[in-house]
Amino acid sequence: MYIQGEAKKEMTYDAIVIGSGISGGWAAKELCEKGIKTLVLERGRQVEHVKDYPTTNKFPWEIPHRGRFSPEVVKENPIVDKCYAFEEATEHFFVKDKEHPYVQEKPFDWIRGYQVGGKSLIWARQTQRWSNYEFEAPARDGFAVDWPIRYKDLAPWYSHVEKFVGISGNRDNIDNLPDSEVLPPFELNCVEKHIQQRVKEQYADRHVIIGRCAHLTEPQEIHIQQGRGKCQARNLCYRGCPFGAYFSSNSSTIPWAAKTGNLTLRPDSIVHSIIYDNEKSKAVGVRVIDAQTKEMMEYYARIIFVNAAALNSNLILLNSTSDRFPEGLGNDNGLMGKYVAFHNYRGSMIAQYEGFEDQYYYGRRPTTAFMPSFRNVFKQDTDFLRGYMVAFSASRMGWQRGMGDTSGFGGEWKDSLTQPGEWQVYMMMQGETVPKEENHVRLSKNLKDPYDVPQLITSIGYDDNDEKVLQDFLVEGAEMLDKSGCKDIRTIDSKQAPGLDIHEMGGVRMGRDAKTSLLNQWNQLHACQNVFVTDGACMTSVGNQNPSLTFMALTVRAAHHAMEEMKKGNL
């Protein structure tokens, strides 16, 4: 039974957004900007831009253990400790293993950030558009289901997002990596330019570019209005950027939404489920558990955006049961939680390059060289489906040479550690995985988290196709480095479990048919159209590009459609 009268009125908004991360922040901005009274529910604590970045300007010697964890912390956090960005100066932005338990039916390292801003504070900030070759891939190659949209449907929204976010990079004129609205790029260093030239000479279908990233190299008026400044190339991004130079909800979309006067932000609000009204045949609100008091309360709205990050969005929807939807909100076909996919990061390699010893570079550039996928793009040309992006960087080894070197002593040895050493090249893959029904998440029937919400079971793994993609990268990557003149090439299979890519997607996929998908072309649940899902959960397939830019563009497009439908009285 719902709260009635004045009490209910005080708990009622035009829109509710679940989650304040990259996509939730954008939903809030777009809705509030158009006069929609919006409640944003965030399960984590409040984090205000700059004020709540406690380590952002600290020197290494001001951090108790120089950034390293004690054995006790590592032992208590075997999952999150695997994440490259988790260290003493950033740990406050990560969920510790005991804080939100889940069940790994297959090994899966679920990396989470519960606070206002979510993982937008700790993302890697790489931004590439999808092309039609990604949107058309499932239909062409016979997996998943056909996307209900194409590149032309998202292109104007990519531009809308990019201009506000600020993306550094070039216009590269590559068919399968459409150009973005860009600010001046960071520069490749001399060894990277050398590899770029050698790849161009040796391979007609491979293009080395500087990675496009969400950093302000030359702030425009719209960024100055946000209070953001130029990137200082400190590469301390995961501590929170005091300049607002990289894009986050905290520095950009949330404050922008707040200044409209239409935003209500409620941290420490764990969403239990979405309330469905059988008589009205629509969702009417959200059940929330206060993280501090564990009190259950309800909030109401005409539309609801689910942006809790892919797996948590699946969890919330699966837990949103009713007489109409006993298996989860909108889950008439039983597909919710299925066809989860991710990016394959297992392959990498290290090599040495001899030469250019009279050259160096300055600053800590926050991006790398990138190579868009060159496998199975225009046609099927291998014995595996889909392909992979390649990222690489070259650096000169200096003090790192002496980390384990005890052969010297005294001033001469210490001075040698400050001198640039030989060049080293590091290369990695970002492989597309194919969504499969058996790769899924579901709710535990008997295990609960500390807030009495069912724990999530993850059952997600690699298959033979993923192994073939990995091996192809290890062969092709080594060949490209060899042809570029690199020596001592060492290939690595990390054998890491899925999850460390932090690019999990799917479970609530978009599609054309309500029998085979859960969301329509506007990210609305087929069976409950006032609920929109626009984070990674909505993805029908995963492409090979970094996904966050696409999440943002999908969110903005869906928000504008929702507002048009509200005006028409359809929602």
Side-chain angles (χ1 to χ4, degrees), residues 323-347:
D323 292 340
R324 169 67 180 84
F325 296 110
E327 302 300 321
L329 182 63
N331 192 22
D332 285 339
N333 53 29
L335 294 178
M336 188 171 287
K338 298 179 180 179
Y339 295 96
V340 172
F342 54 95
H343 279 145
N344 182 351
Y345 271 29
R346 278 170 52 185

PDB file of all heavy atoms in Angstrom, residues 323-347:
ATOM      1  N   ASP A 323       2.961  -9.174  -9.154  1.00  0.00           N
ATOM      2  CA  ASP A 323       2.051 -10.163  -9.732  1.00  0.00           C
ATOM      3  C   ASP A 323       2.186 -10.201 -11.246  1.00  0.00           C
ATOM      4  O   ASP A 323       2.136 -11.260 -11.867  1.00  0.00           O
ATOM      5  CB  ASP A 323       0.606  -9.838  -9.341  1.00  0.00           C
ATOM      6  CG  ASP A 323       0.341 -10.032  -7.854  1.00  0.00           C
ATOM      7  OD1 ASP A 323       1.128 -10.760  -7.205  1.00  0.00           O
ATOM      8  OD2 ASP A 323      -0.633  -9.444  -7.337  1.00  0.00           O
ATOM      9  N   ARG A 324       2.346  -9.046 -11.843  1.00  0.00           N
ATOM     10  CA  ARG A 324       2.475  -8.958 -13.305  1.00  0.00           C
ATOM     11  C   ARG A 324       3.826  -9.474 -13.782  1.00  0.00           C
ATOM     12  O   ARG A 324       3.931 -10.096 -14.837  1.00  0.00           O
ATOM     13  CB  ARG A 324       2.271  -7.501 -13.734  1.00  0.00           C
ATOM     14  CG  ARG A 324       2.635  -7.187 -15.180  1.00  0.00           C
ATOM     15  CD  ARG A 324       1.704  -7.867 -16.176  1.00  0.00           C
ATOM     16  NE  ARG A 324       2.098  -7.535 -17.546  1.00  0.00           N
ATOM     17  CZ  ARG A 324       3.039  -8.170 -18.244  1.00  0.00           C
ATOM     18  NH1 ARG A 324       3.706  -9.180 -17.681  1.00  0.00           N
ATOM     19  NH2 ARG A 324       3.325  -7.824 -19.481  1.00  0.00           N
ATOM     20  N   PHE A 325       4.879  -9.202 -13.018  1.00  0.00           N
ATOM     21  CA  PHE A 325       6.237  -9.570 -13.422  1.00  0.00           C
ATOM     22  C   PHE A 325       6.904 -10.403 -12.311  1.00  0.00           C
ATOM     23  O   PHE A 325       7.764  -9.896 -11.580  1.00  0.00           O
ATOM     24  CB  PHE A 325       7.074  -8.327 -13.721  1.00  0.00           C
ATOM     25  CG  PHE A 325       6.577  -7.517 -14.880  1.00  0.00           C
ATOM     26  CD1 PHE A 325       6.008  -6.261 -14.681  1.00  0.00           C
ATOM     27  CD2 PHE A 325       6.685  -7.993 -16.178  1.00  0.00           C
ATOM     28  CE1 PHE A 325       5.559  -5.501 -15.747  1.00  0.00           C
ATOM     29  CE2 PHE A 325       6.227  -7.241 -17.254  1.00  0.00           C
ATOM     30  CZ  PHE A 325       5.666  -5.993 -17.043  1.00  0.00           C
ATOM     31  N   PRO A 326       6.550 -11.665 -12.175  1.00  0.00           N
ATOM     32  CA  PRO A 326       7.117 -12.478 -11.092  1.00  0.00           C
ATOM     33  C   PRO A 326       8.606 -12.765 -11.247  1.00  0.00           C
ATOM     34  O   PRO A 326       9.281 -13.105 -10.269  1.00  0.00           O
ATOM     35  CB  PRO A 326       6.296 -13.772 -11.162  1.00  0.00           C
ATOM     36  CG  PRO A 326       5.786 -13.827 -12.572  1.00  0.00           C
ATOM     37  CD  PRO A 326       5.546 -12.404 -12.954  1.00  0.00           C
ATOM     38  N   GLU A 327       9.153 -12.612 -12.478  1.00  0.00           N
ATOM     39  CA  GLU A 327      10.566 -12.912 -12.724  1.00  0.00           C
ATOM     40  C   GLU A 327      11.411 -11.652 -12.911  1.00  0.00           C
ATOM     41  O   GLU A 327      12.554 -11.745 -13.362  1.00  0.00           O
ATOM     42  CB  GLU A 327      10.700 -13.809 -13.967  1.00  0.00           C
ATOM     43  CG  GLU A 327       9.945 -15.126 -13.864  1.00  0.00           C
ATOM     44  CD  GLU A 327      10.418 -15.974 -12.684  1.00  0.00           C
ATOM     45  OE1 GLU A 327      11.653 -15.991 -12.432  1.00  0.00           O
ATOM     46  OE2 GLU A 327       9.575 -16.588 -12.023  1.00  0.00           O
ATOM     47  N   GLY A 328      10.858 -10.496 -12.574  1.00  0.00           N
ATOM     48  CA  GLY A 328      11.597  -9.256 -12.748  1.00  0.00           C
ATOM     49  C   GLY A 328      10.869  -8.302 -13.672  1.00  0.00           C
ATOM     50  O   GLY A 328      10.185  -8.727 -14.614  1.00  0.00           O
ATOM     51  N   LEU A 329      11.015  -7.011 -13.436  1.00  0.00           N
ATOM     52  CA  LEU A 329      10.262  -6.005 -14.177  1.00  0.00           C
ATOM     53  C   LEU A 329      10.555  -6.064 -15.671  1.00  0.00           C
ATOM     54  O   LEU A 329      11.711  -5.936 -16.096  1.00  0.00           O
ATOM     55  CB  LEU A 329      10.596  -4.615 -13.639  1.00  0.00           C
ATOM     56  CG  LEU A 329       9.854  -3.445 -14.286  1.00  0.00           C
ATOM     57  CD1 LEU A 329       8.350  -3.560 -14.046  1.00  0.00           C
ATOM     58  CD2 LEU A 329      10.384  -2.113 -13.754  1.00  0.00           C
ATOM     59  N   GLY A 330       9.515  -6.277 -16.459  1.00  0.00           N
ATOM     60  CA  GLY A 330       9.665  -6.322 -17.906  1.00  0.00           C
ATOM     61  C   GLY A 330      10.181  -7.634 -18.450  1.00  0.00           C
ATOM     62  O   GLY A 330      10.375  -7.776 -19.660  1.00  0.00           O
ATOM     63  N   ASN A 331      10.360  -8.628 -17.562  1.00  0.00           N
ATOM     64  CA  ASN A 331      11.031  -9.869 -17.957  1.00  0.00           C
ATOM     65  C   ASN A 331      10.038 -10.933 -18.428  1.00  0.00           C
ATOM     66  O   ASN A 331      10.051 -12.072 -17.946  1.00  0.00           O
ATOM     67  CB  ASN A 331      11.865 -10.389 -16.780  1.00  0.00           C
ATOM     68  CG  ASN A 331      12.814 -11.506 -17.183  1.00  0.00           C
ATOM     69  OD1 ASN A 331      13.166 -11.640 -18.346  1.00  0.00           O
ATOM     70  ND2 ASN A 331      13.228 -12.300 -16.204  1.00  0.00           N
ATOM     71  N   ASP A 332       9.199 -10.600 -19.373  1.00  0.00           N
ATOM     72  CA  ASP A 332       8.216 -11.558 -19.889  1.00  0.00           C
ATOM     73  C   ASP A 332       8.861 -12.731 -20.617  1.00  0.00           C
ATOM     74  O   ASP A 332       8.337 -13.844 -20.605  1.00  0.00           O
ATOM     75  CB  ASP A 332       7.241 -10.857 -20.843  1.00  0.00           C
ATOM     76  CG  ASP A 332       6.218 -10.000 -20.099  1.00  0.00           C
ATOM     77  OD1 ASP A 332       5.998 -10.250 -18.893  1.00  0.00           O
ATOM     78  OD2 ASP A 332       5.650  -9.085 -20.717  1.00  0.00           O
ATOM     79  N   ASN A 333       9.972 -12.487 -21.277  1.00  0.00           N
ATOM     80  CA  ASN A 333      10.589 -13.528 -22.102  1.00  0.00           C
ATOM     81  C   ASN A 333      11.671 -14.335 -21.380  1.00  0.00           C
ATOM     82  O   ASN A 333      12.280 -15.235 -21.973  1.00  0.00           O
ATOM     83  CB  ASN A 333      11.165 -12.923 -23.393  1.00  0.00           C
ATOM     84  CG  ASN A 333      12.108 -11.760 -23.110  1.00  0.00           C
ATOM     85  OD1 ASN A 333      12.748 -11.696 -22.064  1.00  0.00           O
ATOM     86  ND2 ASN A 333      12.193 -10.814 -24.054  1.00  0.00           N
ATOM     87  N   GLY A 334      11.947 -13.992 -20.102  1.00  0.00           N
ATOM     88  CA  GLY A 334      12.942 -14.734 -19.330  1.00  0.00           C
ATOM     89  C   GLY A 334      14.374 -14.471 -19.720  1.00  0.00           C
ATOM     90  O   GLY A 334      15.292 -15.184 -19.296  1.00  0.00           O
ATOM     91  N   LEU A 335      14.623 -13.411 -20.495  1.00  0.00           N
ATOM     92  CA  LEU A 335      15.980 -13.133 -20.977  1.00  0.00           C
ATOM     93  C   LEU A 335      16.757 -12.168 -20.093  1.00  0.00           C
ATOM     94  O   LEU A 335      17.956 -11.964 -20.304  1.00  0.00           O
ATOM     95  CB  LEU A 335      15.924 -12.569 -22.401  1.00  0.00           C
ATOM     96  CG  LEU A 335      15.421 -13.535 -23.480  1.00  0.00           C
ATOM     97  CD1 LEU A 335      15.376 -12.832 -24.828  1.00  0.00           C
ATOM     98  CD2 LEU A 335      16.300 -14.773 -23.553  1.00  0.00           C
ATOM     99  N   MET A 336      16.094 -11.570 -19.119  1.00  0.00           N
ATOM    100  CA  MET A 336      16.789 -10.598 -18.274  1.00  0.00           C
ATOM    101  C   MET A 336      17.946 -11.261 -17.526  1.00  0.00           C
ATOM    102  O   MET A 336      17.810 -12.346 -16.961  1.00  0.00           O
ATOM    103  CB  MET A 336      15.822  -9.960 -17.285  1.00  0.00           C
ATOM    104  CG  MET A 336      16.431  -8.801 -16.495  1.00  0.00           C
ATOM    105  SD  MET A 336      15.169  -7.923 -15.550  1.00  0.00           S
ATOM    106  CE  MET A 336      14.303  -7.052 -16.860  1.00  0.00           C
ATOM    107  N   GLY A 337      19.078 -10.598 -17.553  1.00  0.00           N
ATOM    108  CA  GLY A 337      20.278 -11.125 -16.921  1.00  0.00           C
ATOM    109  C   GLY A 337      21.121 -11.983 -17.834  1.00  0.00           C
ATOM    110  O   GLY A 337      22.257 -12.332 -17.481  1.00  0.00           O
ATOM    111  N   LYS A 338      20.597 -12.315 -19.021  1.00  0.00           N
ATOM    112  CA  LYS A 338      21.321 -13.185 -19.946  1.00  0.00           C
ATOM    113  C   LYS A 338      22.002 -12.376 -21.049  1.00  0.00           C
ATOM    114  O   LYS A 338      21.734 -11.209 -21.239  1.00  0.00           O
ATOM    115  CB  LYS A 338      20.355 -14.200 -20.558  1.00  0.00           C
ATOM    116  CG  LYS A 338      19.722 -15.120 -19.519  1.00  0.00           C
ATOM    117  CD  LYS A 338      18.749 -16.106 -20.133  1.00  0.00           C
ATOM    118  CE  LYS A 338      18.138 -17.001 -19.056  1.00  0.00           C
ATOM    119  NZ  LYS A 338      17.153 -17.959 -19.631  1.00  0.00           N
ATOM    120  N   TYR A 339      22.891 -13.041 -21.749  1.00  0.00           N
ATOM    121  CA  TYR A 339      23.651 -12.424 -22.838  1.00  0.00           C
ATOM    122  C   TYR A 339      24.522 -11.267 -22.336  1.00  0.00           C
ATOM    123  O   TYR A 339      24.671 -10.240 -22.989  1.00  0.00           O
ATOM    124  CB  TYR A 339      22.721 -11.951 -23.966  1.00  0.00           C
ATOM    125  CG  TYR A 339      22.017 -13.098 -24.661  1.00  0.00           C
ATOM    126  CD1 TYR A 339      20.726 -13.475 -24.294  1.00  0.00           C
ATOM    127  CD2 TYR A 339      22.664 -13.824 -25.660  1.00  0.00           C
ATOM    128  CE1 TYR A 339      20.092 -14.540 -24.906  1.00  0.00           C
ATOM    129  CE2 TYR A 339      22.033 -14.892 -26.285  1.00  0.00           C
ATOM    130  CZ  TYR A 339      20.738 -15.236 -25.905  1.00  0.00           C
ATOM    131  OH  TYR A 339      20.116 -16.297 -26.520  1.00  0.00           O
ATOM    132  N   VAL A 340      25.112 -11.471 -21.168  1.00  0.00           N
ATOM    133  CA  VAL A 340      26.097 -10.511 -20.655  1.00  0.00           C
ATOM    134  C   VAL A 340      27.411 -10.719 -21.415  1.00  0.00           C
ATOM    135  O   VAL A 340      27.816 -11.853 -21.685  1.00  0.00           O
ATOM    136  CB  VAL A 340      26.310 -10.703 -19.140  1.00  0.00           C
ATOM    137  CG1 VAL A 340      27.468  -9.850 -18.629  1.00  0.00           C
ATOM    138  CG2 VAL A 340      25.020 -10.376 -18.375  1.00  0.00           C
ATOM    139  N   ALA A 341      28.068  -9.642 -21.781  1.00  0.00           N
ATOM    140  CA  ALA A 341      29.361  -9.728 -22.465  1.00  0.00           C
ATOM    141  C   ALA A 341      30.298  -8.674 -21.891  1.00  0.00           C
ATOM    142  O   ALA A 341      29.914  -7.885 -21.021  1.00  0.00           O
ATOM    143  CB  ALA A 341      29.186  -9.576 -23.974  1.00  0.00           C
ATOM    144  N   PHE A 342      31.524  -8.653 -22.384  1.00  0.00           N
ATOM    145  CA  PHE A 342      32.576  -7.837 -21.763  1.00  0.00           C
ATOM    146  C   PHE A 342      33.690  -7.666 -22.777  1.00  0.00           C
ATOM    147  O   PHE A 342      33.577  -8.103 -23.929  1.00  0.00           O
ATOM    148  CB  PHE A 342      33.081  -8.529 -20.486  1.00  0.00           C
ATOM    149  CG  PHE A 342      33.528  -9.959 -20.712  1.00  0.00           C
ATOM    150  CD1 PHE A 342      34.859 -10.262 -20.939  1.00  0.00           C
ATOM    151  CD2 PHE A 342      32.603 -11.004 -20.712  1.00  0.00           C
ATOM    152  CE1 PHE A 342      35.275 -11.567 -21.164  1.00  0.00           C
ATOM    153  CE2 PHE A 342      33.000 -12.319 -20.945  1.00  0.00           C
ATOM    154  CZ  PHE A 342      34.332 -12.597 -21.176  1.00  0.00           C
ATOM    155  N   HIS A 343      34.786  -7.047 -22.374  1.00  0.00           N
ATOM    156  CA  HIS A 343      35.947  -6.929 -23.248  1.00  0.00           C
ATOM    157  C   HIS A 343      37.069  -7.836 -22.756  1.00  0.00           C
ATOM    158  O   HIS A 343      37.330  -7.931 -21.553  1.00  0.00           O
ATOM    159  CB  HIS A 343      36.431  -5.479 -23.332  1.00  0.00           C
ATOM    160  CG  HIS A 343      35.638  -4.650 -24.286  1.00  0.00           C
ATOM    161  ND1 HIS A 343      35.348  -3.313 -24.086  1.00  0.00           N
ATOM    162  CD2 HIS A 343      35.050  -4.954 -25.478  1.00  0.00           C
ATOM    163  CE1 HIS A 343      34.637  -2.848 -25.096  1.00  0.00           C
ATOM    164  NE2 HIS A 343      34.442  -3.825 -25.945  1.00  0.00           N
ATOM    165  N   ASN A 344      37.707  -8.474 -23.704  1.00  0.00           N
ATOM    166  CA  ASN A 344      38.787  -9.425 -23.429  1.00  0.00           C
ATOM    167  C   ASN A 344      40.107  -8.654 -23.357  1.00  0.00           C
ATOM    168  O   ASN A 344      40.597  -8.164 -24.373  1.00  0.00           O
ATOM    169  CB  ASN A 344      38.806 -10.473 -24.544  1.00  0.00           C
ATOM    170  CG  ASN A 344      39.858 -11.546 -24.330  1.00  0.00           C
ATOM    171  OD1 ASN A 344      40.701 -11.449 -23.451  1.00  0.00           O
ATOM    172  ND2 ASN A 344      39.806 -12.582 -25.159  1.00  0.00           N
ATOM    173  N   TYR A 345      40.661  -8.570 -22.167  1.00  0.00           N
ATOM    174  CA  TYR A 345      41.904  -7.828 -21.934  1.00  0.00           C
ATOM    175  C   TYR A 345      43.102  -8.740 -21.667  1.00  0.00           C
ATOM    176  O   TYR A 345      44.150  -8.268 -21.215  1.00  0.00           O
ATOM    177  CB  TYR A 345      41.734  -6.924 -20.703  1.00  0.00           C
ATOM    178  CG  TYR A 345      41.189  -5.536 -20.968  1.00  0.00           C
ATOM    179  CD1 TYR A 345      40.335  -5.262 -22.018  1.00  0.00           C
ATOM    180  CD2 TYR A 345      41.527  -4.479 -20.127  1.00  0.00           C
ATOM    181  CE1 TYR A 345      39.826  -4.003 -22.237  1.00  0.00           C
ATOM    182  CE2 TYR A 345      41.026  -3.200 -20.332  1.00  0.00           C
ATOM    183  CZ  TYR A 345      40.180  -2.973 -21.390  1.00  0.00           C
ATOM    184  OH  TYR A 345      39.684  -1.707 -21.606  1.00  0.00           O
ATOM    185  N   ARG A 346      42.966 -10.029 -21.922  1.00  0.00           N
ATOM    186  CA  ARG A 346      43.991 -10.959 -21.451  1.00  0.00           C
ATOM    187  C   ARG A 346      45.355 -10.780 -22.119  1.00  0.00           C
ATOM    188  O   ARG A 346      46.391 -11.057 -21.524  1.00  0.00           O
ATOM    189  CB  ARG A 346      43.505 -12.404 -21.637  1.00  0.00           C
ATOM    190  CG  ARG A 346      42.598 -12.860 -20.530  1.00  0.00           C
ATOM    191  CD  ARG A 346      41.938 -14.184 -20.835  1.00  0.00           C
ATOM    192  NE  ARG A 346      42.891 -15.221 -21.232  1.00  0.00           N
ATOM    193  CZ  ARG A 346      42.525 -16.438 -21.630  1.00  0.00           C
ATOM    194  NH1 ARG A 346      41.233 -16.750 -21.701  1.00  0.00           N
ATOM    195  NH2 ARG A 346      43.425 -17.324 -21.972  1.00  0.00           N
ATOM    196  N   GLY A 347      45.372 -10.337 -23.356  1.00  0.00           N
ATOM    197  CA  GLY A 347      46.628 -10.298 -24.088  1.00  0.00           C
ATOM    198  C   GLY A 347      47.383  -8.989 -23.961  1.00  0.00           C
ATOM    199  O   GLY A 347      46.807  -7.914 -24.039  1.00  0.00           O
TER     200      GLY A 347
END
